[in-house]
Structure formats: structure tokens, C-alpha cells
Amino acid sequence: MYKTLLTQTENGTFIITINRPDKMNALNASVIEELGAAMDEVYNNNEIKSVIITGAGEKAFVAGADISEFLTLNAEGGAALAARGRVLVFDKIENCPKPVVAAVNGFALGGGCELAMACHFRISSENAKFGQPEVNLGLIPGYGGTQRLTRLIGKGKAMELLMTSDMVGAAEAKTLGLVNHVVTMEELMPKAKEILQKVHSKAPIAITKVIACVNEAADGNHHGFDNEITRFGECFETADMKEGTTAFTEKRKAVFTGK
Ligand code: COA
């Protein structure tokens, strides 16, 4: 169905594999369009409970936006390219009501690092390398990299990585808080799937509200505390809250319906 992506659903997890391994899975206009369409599927298909985004092959997750598409752009064209990516893909991933995990299987550079950072959290293989090398090209990140990297690893380290174009390996990425787990390549997809299966066993409406609240905290939204209280209250009107609390008092495992 897609030209640049492979997709499959496994136990409720929609796996999106960016499939341009000969070009290090670089994000050209087709990949951006198709990622947008794939995320629309995620929003609209009730059978999909979570998402993993990964790259084809064992070398690259995504080595950035496709540099060959940059050559003819002027200021307007450059800004439009970044804005389109934001609307079609990056905002949809970050604000997705279902958990989205990046399984980073190699280079995550430029737009690739930005794509991984837009996901709700990241698992990485040992060979992964992260970086924002845009200043090597006379550019800056355009898919949210300056914002999300600063939020994830703090201002000083973000400044250094963005100014030097230095790459960090998986172990350092974990120390910095950029990735949650580092595993072997063989364990990468199983680890991501295992975590998502655990999330599937929780109350889906509560998971959606957690995502919204944490995004607001990361965005520095001044209403984050108020909105948490509102959403906390809303949970009391759900069947799943009644099931969860009843199951606890009856000393049994809760069975959630997403209602
Ligand atoms: N855009 C377009 N093409 C890219 C690309 C990108 N971001 N990253 C890699 N490619 C292409 C290369 O041009 C090459 O294509 P070719 O075989 O037709 O010449 C192919 O992918 C393989 O890359 P290559 O550089 O030969 O592999 P390598 O193992 O020597 O190096 C990287 C791997 C990732 C270190 C290197 O490709 C790289 O630095 N890529 C650009 C990273 C970047 O600056 N990203 C930010 C973009 S804003």
C-alpha cells in the first residue's frame, strides 16, 4: 500500500518501518506524506492500540531529511517544507492518543533524531547514533529539534550537540535521557513490543490522558496542573475507572474495555 513504508499490525501494535535503506531511510517528501497517512490510520483504526516506528536495515533509523531536496529551496520553500512535516507527521505523532515508541536501529540524525524525539519515548539498539548535524549544512533543525532536544536533555548539552554536530552513541544517549533502554539489535523490536503489551493491559482512556498531560508539562503549558485535575476528574466517569478500582478491592486483575 505504501511505497516508502512497510506496515503491519501485531497484537494491536502498528509497526511502521521506513523503508529506504539505500538512502539511510532519509525523509523525502514521499516518506513525509506516507508517514502522515500512516498516522491517520493510527488515529482512525480502533484495532490499533499502539505504534512502533523503526527503520529498515541495521544501519540507519533515519539519517535525516533528504538533503537532495534542499538544493532549490528559498526561505519560503524551506519554511514550508518544515511546516508541512510538522503538520503531517511530527505533531500527529507527539499528540497521538495512543502510545508511539521509536525503535532506533542505527543512525538517528537530523530529521531522524527529531522523528525519534517526537515519539513518546525511545528504545535503542547498541549501534545507534544520535545527532543534529544541520549546522554542517549551514542549516538548523526544522522538525522541532531545537525544542525537543532541549526539553529532553537540557539546555547546555543541547546547545553543545546542536553547535558541534557531535553524534552520541546509545550508551551516552541513555545517560542523557534521550533513550529509555539500550538493547541488542535482536532485542530491539521484542523490547518495544513487550513494553507496549504492558501498556495495552492498562486503561486506554487513562493512557491517552497521561500522554496529553505529560506533553503539556514538556511544553511548559501553564495550565498543566489545572488540566491534570480536570482529566483526573473525567476518569471518574469512565467504566474503566470503576472496573480498575473494583478489581483492586476484589483482588483480581482488571479487564479494561476502553470505555
Ligand atoms: N539525505 C539524502 N541522502 C542521504 C542522507 C540524507 N540525509 N543520508 C544518507 N544519504 C544517502 C547517501 O547520499 C548515499 O547515497 P548514494 O549511495 O546514492 O550516494 C546513501 O544514503 C548511503 O550513505 P553514505 O553516506 O554513503 O553512508 P555512510 O555509511 O558512509 O555514512 C551517514 C552514513 C549517516 C553518516 C552519512 O550518510 C551522513 O552523514 N548522512 C547525512 C546526515 C545528515 O546530515 N543529516 C541531517 C540532514 S538535515
Side-chain angles (χ1 to χ4, degrees):
M1 180 184 167
Y2 296 109
K3 288 198 198 106
T4 62
L5 309 178
L6 303 172
T7 60
Q8 68 181 100
T9 307
E10 215 182 291
N11 299 320
T13 298
F14 190 60
I15 301 169
I16 302 174
T17 305
I18 299 164
N19 190 30
R20 296 183 76 210
D22 53 325
K23 294 289 178 194
M24 300 275 159
N25 302 320
L27 303 175
N28 63 9
S30 305
V31 178
I32 292 292
E33 291 289 329
E34 293 196 338
L35 276 175
M39 286 310 298
D40 290 341
E41 265 196 72
V42 172
Y43 275 70
N44 297 327
N45 183 342
N46 288 336
E47 315 224 312
I48 297 175
K49 297 184 192 149
S50 64
V51 184
I52 297 173
I53 300 180
T54 192
E58 298 201 342
K59 205 156 175 202
F61 171 69
V62 167
D66 193 316
I67 298 167
S68 66
E69 291 182 347
F70 288 174
L71 293 169
T72 56
L73 298 176
N74 59 10
E76 226 172 46
L81 178 131
R84 191 162 171 75
R86 179 178 179 186
V87 172
L88 283 182
V89 179
F90 290 80
D91 282 356
K92 277 186 210 164
I93 292 173
E94 185 163 81
N95 299 321
C96 185
K98 308 169 187 183
V100 185
V101 172
V104 180
N105 56 307
F107 287 112
L109 302 177
C113 190
E114 292 171 295
L115 182 66
M117 292 193 294
C119 294
H120 296 145
F121 58 91
R122 289 141 292 283
I123 318 285
S124 146
S125 58
E126 292 161 336
N127 67 320
K129 285 200 161 40
F130 297 80
Q132 296 288 161
E134 286 84 356
V135 295
N136 283 337
L137 305 167
L139 284 168
I140 66 167
Y143 288 145
T146 60
Q147 306 303 294
R148 291 195 181 95
L149 189 66
T150 305
R151 285 171 195 170
L152 274 169
I153 71 172
K155 181 176 172 183
K157 200 67 197 174
M159 284 282 195
E160 182 186 342
L161 293 185
L162 288 159
M163 286 195 239
T164 60
S165 294
D166 282 350
M167 291 187 210
V168 296
E172 189 179 353
K174 186 169 174 215
T175 307
L176 290 172
L178 196 48
V179 304
N180 292 16
H181 303 276
V182 179
V183 294
T184 63
M185 185 69 86
E186 294 70 40
E187 288 167 17
L188 180 63
M189 293 303 285
K191 181 71 181 176
K193 289 175 194 171
E194 176 200 317
I195 295 174
L196 288 171
Q197 284 306 308
K198 189 186 273 187
V199 179
H200 291 181
S201 72
K202 317 298 179 194
I205 294 172
I207 296 296
T208 298
K209 291 182 187 300
V210 163
I211 293 169
C213 287
V214 175
N215 277 341
E216 287 180 358
D219 283 351
N221 184 318
H222 294 304
H223 303 292
F225 282 93
D226 292 336
N227 292 344
E228 182 189 272
I229 288 171
T230 303
R231 293 186 183 113
F232 174 76
E234 287 166 359
C235 289
F236 285 78
E237 301 279 326
T238 66
D240 279 348
M241 182 271 179
K242 296 193 172 51
E243 165 63 8
T245 49
T246 306
F248 178 80
T249 55
E250 293 176 355
K251 300 195 187 303
R252 62 172 173 84
K253 201 169 183 308
V255 180
F256 295 117
T257 56
K259 296 200 173 95

